[in-house]
Amino acid sequence: MKETMTSSDYPEAYIAYLAEYYGSRDYFECHEIMEEYWKEGESSEYESCWLVLIRVAVAQYHARRGNWKGAIKLMDKAARETEAAPGLFKRLGVDGAALGRRLRSAVQEWSGPAPAYRDLELPIVDEALTVRAKEHCRKLGYEWSIPGLKAGDDIIHRHLTRDRQEVVSARAESAKRKSLSRESSLPERRSRT
């Protein structure tokens, strides 16, 4: 088992995620990037890490918009998953134990009487990873580590402007398949004659 990946081993989706996470602070886009990569199943060994990063991005998105219930639920799940496998994160250039503590701290802060959004910094320990992510960030035209509250309303409330027709259609089709499946598994009723 490798101690950590080399700079060239990191998946491009991971680099793109970090560039958006720190550059645009577009957590919705971070979620999209990592979810697409995770669904491809390219690196199943790190599946739990990709899911944690997806959850962290979505939790940050919710927190910044004041949806504390959703943010807490996702961040708590991400914290538990990180705490279960900190060594995997180390191989991805992130201090997994420190990440778990930061996620847990966010959950505690957000569960208090006056929760407030703050940027959650990922504890990247591989300088080569930071260099690659910063380079990608610059190519996208972003400044590294901008404050998340300065991302702009179009990013902070991004879900309000996207076309959801594909998602709505997919959900309707899934519900239809489930309904048909349930109907076909019901025992036939005997007619009374």
Side-chain angles (χ1 to χ4, degrees), residues 52-64:
V52 164
L53 293 175
I54 291 167
R55 289 184 179 102
V56 166
V58 176
Q60 288 287 93
Y61 184 82
H62 286 311
R64 188 166 55 186

Side-chain angles (χ1 to χ4, degrees), residues 15 19 129-140 144:
I15 301 300
L129 174 60
T130 302
V131 167
R132 279 197 61 204
K134 282 183 175 181
E135 286 172 4
H136 192 82
C137 184
R138 276 192 294 279
K139 286 179 186 173
L140 294 172
W144 184 260

